[in-house]
Amino acid sequence: MITLGIETSCDETAVGVCDNGVIRSNIVSSQVVHSRFGGVVPELAARNHIKVIVPIAKLALDIGKCELNQIDLIAATYGPGLIGALLVGLSFGKSLAISLNKPFIGVNHLEGHLYALTTTGIAIKYPMLMLLVSGGHTEIVMVTEPFNYYTIGKTLDDACGEAFDKVAKLMGLPYPGGPYIEKYAFQGNVQAVSFPVPQPKLFNFSYAGLKTAVLYHTKEHTEYRKEDVAAAFQEAALGHLIQVVEQAVTKYAIKCLGVAGGVSSNKRLREKCRQLAEQQNIQLLIPDLQQCTDNGAMIALAGAERYKRFGPSPLSLDAVAREPMDEISLGTKNH
Ligand code: KG4
Ligand code: ZN
């Protein structure tokens, strides 16, 4: 079954072609227009998706060696995300489905990140704990079996990626800041500055205090070394993630830890996750770097699995700004 996956929930216009779980093409166009604003401007994101969605889809089909009439299923993200941005990919996907007379399925963006884990080629062992760390989300989701989700912890304020972006912005680095912080941290001395590792509240996360600590430090030490601040911030931010995950792994008898979302491309986080999985003797699934950040293939992979189990979505499916995975879990509404 050939699935076309469309993703426009934030600032990536992405289309992928997957054939029975195998990626044939995965084209991602990241919008640079936001970098001078230090964050995503929703209206600009939507307008830019409109400009490039058709050429990106054509390229994905060309590289995937797939004719329009060979597509069996069209999958598009319907949420959570920026409504204007989501509507571009969602409307494009629905229109294509109508014109080709093919089934359409809407995909929850977070479930898309989960299905990126299948690209590791390793079968998921259940129950799995998924750490989802991106620019908009920081949560731990218990996955007891396919499509059965229960969020056990989430951020109480900023998402982890958002904290990376904000700290980068206050140091004058471009958006998205995560990769810049990682690059600077690599050359920094982690002991030169000390930031407090936030303390977990049950299995929840918090980044507001750490972000403020960095702000005060940079104001009080105007001659600060960006490399050292980046290294100390990164260590505290990732240390917090690992501390909460370790507590959850210890409490619940899980067999596998899955790590997904943009921040999971951070090499220091990947190393820390590997150490944790080894200590706890559990399976670790972290996808390749391209599968960590937003892309169309992950939407195609998730859409195909959901379609096989639940059938197509109604064409009346609307875009939603918020939708925790618990709301698409077995026994609740299905798309
Ligand atoms: O999953 P994603 O592509 O989009 C969302 O759904 O948000 O994640 C983007 C986020 C941004 O906040 C970006 O700064 C962060 O992931 N990020 C990183 C790294 N690469 C991307 N954070 C830390 N280290 C990285 N290497
Ligand atoms: Zn994402």
Side-chain angles (χ1 to χ4, degrees), residues 153-169:
K154 58 182 171 23
T155 182
L156 302 174
D157 38 63
D158 290 346
C160 182
E162 190 181 357
F164 270 80
D165 295 337
K166 286 180 176 170
V167 165
K169 186 179 177 188

Side-chain angles (χ1 to χ4, degrees), residues 12 109 113 134-136 161-162 164-165 176-179 182 261-263 265-266 292-294:
E12 258 91 29
H109 180 80
H113 277 301
S134 70
E162 190 181 357
F164 270 80
D165 295 337
E182 177 173 17
V263 183
S265 54
N266 183 291
C292 291
T293 43
D294 293 351

Side-chain angles (χ1 to χ4, degrees), residues 40-324:
V40 178
V41 183
E43 180 63 22
L44 289 179
R47 283 167 190 258
N48 279 282
H49 287 313
I50 293 172
K51 278 189 200 153
V52 301
I53 187 77
V54 172
I56 293 294
K58 277 188 176 159
L59 192 59
L61 288 167
D62 275 359
I63 292 181
K65 296 198 173 13
C66 177
E67 299 291 332
L68 272 175
N69 61 10
Q70 291 175 310
I71 301 172
D72 299 302
L73 173 69
I74 291 153
T77 308
Y78 66 90
L82 304 170
I83 292 292
L86 285 163
L87 280 172
V88 178
L90 184 60
S91 314
F92 177 69
K94 285 181 190 173
S95 327
L96 207 55
I98 295 169
S99 62
L100 297 173
N101 197 22
K102 298 287 171 161
F104 168 79
I105 183 137
V107 174
N108 172 297
H109 180 80
L110 309 180
E111 193 171 60
H113 277 301
L114 191 162
Y115 276 87
L117 299 178
T118 64
T119 60
T120 56
I122 305 165
I124 297 175
K125 285 186 189 158
Y126 297 97
M128 170 175 77
L129 211 58
M130 179 173 73
L131 171 66
L132 186 73
V133 263
S134 70
H137 297 270
T138 300
E139 42 212 57
I140 309 182
V141 181
M142 174 71 86
V143 188
T144 54
E145 59 179 300
F147 308 108
N148 208 7
Y149 309 125
Y150 175 57
T151 304
I152 62 167
K154 58 182 171 23
T155 182
L156 302 174
D157 38 63
D158 290 346
C160 182
E162 190 181 357
F164 270 80
D165 295 337
K166 286 180 176 170
V167 165
K169 186 179 177 188
L170 69 86
M171 292 204 291
L173 302 174
Y175 173 87
Y180 291 94
I181 296 279
E182 177 173 17
K183 203 170 125 212
Y184 275 76
F186 194 66
Q187 283 148 15
N189 174 4
V190 78
Q191 260 126 35
V193 192
S194 165
F195 293 126
V197 176
Q199 286 311 298
K201 296 168 184 73
L202 292 172
F203 299 118
N204 295 320
F205 304 89
S206 169
Y207 281 102
L210 175 59
K211 186 187 64 189
T212 309
V214 179
L215 176 69
Y216 284 153
H217 179 88
T218 53
K219 283 202 163 154
E220 283 160 18
H221 306 81
T222 45
E223 302 291 297
Y224 69 92
R225 259 191 98 223
K226 281 183 186 163
E227 291 83 351
D228 295 342
V229 169
F233 161 75
Q234 175 174 274
E235 206 52 27
L238 303 182
H240 181 42
L241 282 180
I242 294 296
Q243 216 175 36
V244 178
V245 171
E246 190 170 5
Q247 284 187 6
V249 166
T250 314
K251 164 139 191 211
Y252 298 96
I254 61 137
K255 295 204 170 122
C256 172
L257 171 66
V259 190
V263 183
S264 61
S265 54
N266 183 291
K267 292 188 192 64
R268 183 75 181 118
L269 176 61
R270 296 167 83 91
E271 185 186 313
K272 280 176 173 280
C273 289
R274 268 192 287 273
Q275 284 168 357
L276 177 69
E278 222 166 86
Q279 276 163 18
Q280 301 282 337
N281 201 19
I282 52 172
Q283 182 189 50
L284 174 69
L285 297 182
I286 306 190
D288 286 347
L289 297 192
Q290 202 203 6
Q291 284 299 325
C292 291
T293 43
D294 293 351
N295 66 89
M298 72 181 197
I299 301 305
L301 293 168
E305 291 307 311
R306 192 159 268 275
Y307 175 75
K308 279 190 247 164
R309 179 84 177 253
F310 304 107
S313 300
L315 289 171
S316 56
L317 178 69
D318 213 348
V320 292
R322 277 194 75 257
E323 189 179 62

